[in-house]
Amino acid sequence: MSGLPPRVERQSIIDRQSLWLVEAWERGRQALPYLPIPLLVIAMVFAGVVGALIPDFGPLVPAGIIGGIVAAVAFLRPSIGLFLFAFMLFSRLSENLTTFVNVPSIAPIFAVFLLTGLVAREGLGSLFRSRRRYWQPIAAYGLVMLASVFVAVNQQAATQTITDLVKDLVFVLVVILYARRYVDVRVLIWAMISAGFVASCLTVYQAVSGNDFTFFGLAQTSAAIVVPGEIEEVPRPSGYVGDPNFYALSLLPLVPLALHRARYELHRGMRWFAGFVALLLPIAIFMTYSRGAYLALLVVLAGLVYFGFVKLRAIGIAALVFVLLLPVLPEEYSGRLSTIGDATGAVFGSDAPSGGEPADTSVSGRIAEVLAGVYMFTDYPLLGVGVSNYPEYYQEYARPLGIRTRAQRNAHSLIVEVAAETGVLGLVTFLALVTLLFLWLRGVMMSEEQSPELRDLARVLIVALAGFLAAIMFLHGAYPRFFWVLVALIIVVHSQAFTRLERRPMPRLGMVRPLSPVVTPMGRHRARLALGVVATTSVAVVAVLLVNQQLAARDYPLLSRGSTSALALSPADVQ
């Protein structure tokens, strides 16, 4: 017995328990950021064992070990993780490695890993509370797309499009949640610029050397006839996309962003490098033979001149040099440029063939696709024909136009595609989202409380968004990720300007009855630890499923039902 009154003794016991809880909380808080490290070590050991047991699976082991090291560095240094993930997202590195190297998709695992670390450091409530309002217009447009699935003829194509949309939005969500400081905005911009720089260098290298190596999908090419009337096909650089038009579309917003970093980067070498990239990107765009990108690039240059980022005299000098160099360039470039000016005459001019069919079959096909989309919209005005179902109706609407039609085609105009596939509801929600993006940027640009660097960033984003919208007037929504990455950057910039990020305590768990105020942070610790365990378990499950998928593709019954001695069998014995 201590000789103290019972009430004082109980209070002493509570104080000692509180002190123990404080010490346990501090130890757990300090160790929690390093929790994935032993898990990564276990995963790499597991990969080594699998690679030793299965010879054909061995080449993936070095990639898995390197990926584990990169993931650990990204977890400990969030800025590096944001750069790597944004680079992977914009360059489509995960998809290209899966296609060209047969490596399992790494983007979902990396996204879950980064989100786990972010939740462990910041808490779930503080992440979503500050930027909740930005998701409302995006959710409205997504719900309309989801509703159009129910009126679609091809349900499989519509469902696949919704699945890809959800995946892209989850990736973009990770980027938005990670970019919580202005230095993160710079990291995000540099990741996009770096992806464009690598692809542009490879494009110029291919054009100069004639080498058609794809560099693991980052420098793809596609053969096509670029001049009407010619027979020989010309290789068109397609970059990390696989389509030259969409590749040029992805490079367009990077031009004003590179010029912004060339003006405001602190290090002189980085400023010179950003200026070099800003000159390299238009060259790569020019090499794609994309006429829509040419016109959109003029919109970007006009916007940069209007906001004072480029002198009109510099544009004139560049145009003069281009005109002087045009005769020595391959004739395919001059022939492709001539089709832009001749497009009107080639459509319904005096040299058009009988029946109203244009001489340029590419132009005639675009006309038929746009008109077919307009007629679909008039026949299905509310929800359209269903997302990704424009090709199912194309022949039905294009054949009566009297213009030679091609096989199942897309709308080749995002506005027409949105109107035809999602009707008035989709068109209104999409235009409302675009309008809000411009209004958000205008608010940042006109705010006197913001720094000149942030206001100029809003200006170049207005130019980038305008150029992007000008380009998608001639393209459909086959690769929407580039649009959503641009949306994420705009949201992050506006949030940096007008949102004060406050860390609020998470609500107490319902099962915990606090004995003292110290138990509240302990409850937060338990919540974060539980979230970390759930997320890391999800990563482990995904990894096992990927291993099982690879084993099943090689007919190894290691993880299949009824297997008891597959470890002792060789591949020939299993077959």
Side-chain angles (χ1 to χ4, degrees), residues 243-320:
D243 184 279
N245 297 317
F246 288 99
Y247 171 52
L249 171 69
S250 69
L251 297 181
L252 276 170
L254 304 183
V255 177
L257 291 176
L259 286 175
H260 179 268
R261 297 321 308 160
R263 172 179 289 187
Y264 286 104
E265 198 61 44
L266 298 178
H267 194 275
R268 178 183 298 179
M270 296 298 291
R271 290 198 300 270
W272 279 97
F273 176 71
F276 172 73
V277 175
L279 293 176
L280 181 65
L281 290 171
I283 297 176
I285 293 173
F286 179 71
M287 290 180 175
T288 60
Y289 299 99
S290 177
R291 293 173 292 191
Y294 295 165
L295 298 177
L297 184 59
L298 295 179
V299 174
V300 170
L301 293 178
L304 292 174
V305 171
Y306 176 79
F307 286 118
F309 275 86
V310 178
K311 300 293 185 181
L312 187 59
R313 180 177 56 186
I315 297 294
I317 295 175
L320 179 60

Side-chain angles (χ1 to χ4, degrees), residues 372-394:
V374 172
Y375 290 137
M376 289 182 203
F377 175 69
T378 57
D379 289 347
Y380 301 91
L382 186 60
L383 281 175
V385 298
V387 63
S388 294
N389 271 243
Y390 174 94
E392 305 295 329
Y393 292 83
Y394 170 69

Side-chain angles (χ1 to χ4, degrees), residues 16-86:
R16 289 196 298 271
Q17 291 177 346
S18 300
L19 180 61
W20 176 84
L21 288 174
V22 170
E23 295 175 351
W25 158 250
E26 288 297 329
R27 289 194 299 268
R29 187 180 63 84
Q30 295 175 4
L32 189 59
Y34 301 93
L35 177 64
I37 304 300
L39 297 177
L40 285 173
V41 173
I42 295 173
M44 288 188 288
V45 172
F46 174 74
V49 172
V50 173
L53 294 176
I54 304 174
D56 290 346
F57 198 67
L60 293 179
V61 175
I65 295 176
I66 295 174
I69 297 174
V70 171
V73 174
F75 189 88
L76 298 176
R77 296 294 299 271
S79 59
I80 298 178
L82 176 62
F83 180 88
L84 294 175
F85 185 72

Side-chain angles (χ1 to χ4, degrees), residues 140-310:
Y141 178 59
L143 289 176
V144 173
M145 292 183 65
L146 181 62
S148 69
V149 174
F150 298 98
V151 300
V153 174
N154 190 344
Q155 293 278 338
Q156 183 177 0
T159 305
Q160 183 62 42
T161 300
I162 295 298
T163 303
D164 294 339
L165 174 66
V166 172
K167 182 176 67 174
D168 287 343
L169 290 182
V170 170
F171 291 162
V172 169
L173 172 65
V174 175
V175 172
I176 293 176
L177 295 180
Y178 243 79
R180 301 174 63 80
R181 301 169 300 168
Y182 185 72
V183 64
D184 298 328
V185 177
R186 294 176 56 237
V187 169
L188 178 58
I189 294 174
W190 271 113
M192 299 168 61
I193 293 175
S194 301
F197 169 72
V198 172
S200 299
C201 288
L202 296 178
T203 296
V204 174
Y205 169 75
Q206 286 179 331
V208 173
S209 64
N211 192 341
D212 59 352
F213 183 64
T214 61
F215 295 94
F216 308 106
L218 295 178
Q220 305 174 46
T221 57
S222 58
I225 298 176
V226 298
V227 180
E230 296 290 336
I231 301 176
E232 185 179 358
E233 293 184 338
V234 176
R236 299 179 61 184
S238 303
Y240 40 68
V241 182
D243 184 279
N245 297 317
F246 288 99
Y247 171 52
L249 171 69
S250 69
L251 297 181
L252 276 170
L254 304 183
V255 177
L257 291 176
L259 286 175
H260 179 268
R261 297 321 308 160
R263 172 179 289 187
Y264 286 104
E265 198 61 44
L266 298 178
H267 194 275
R268 178 183 298 179
M270 296 298 291
R271 290 198 300 270
W272 279 97
F273 176 71
F276 172 73
V277 175
L279 293 176
L280 181 65
L281 290 171
I283 297 176
I285 293 173
F286 179 71
M287 290 180 175
T288 60
Y289 299 99
S290 177
R291 293 173 292 191
Y294 295 165
L295 298 177
L297 184 59
L298 295 179
V299 174
V300 170
L301 293 178
L304 292 174
V305 171
Y306 176 79
F307 286 118
F309 275 86
V310 178

Side-chain angles (χ1 to χ4, degrees), residues 416-431:
V416 175
E417 183 182 54
V418 170
E421 293 185 347
T422 58
V424 175
L425 296 179
L427 186 61
V428 169
T429 52
F430 177 76
L431 293 178

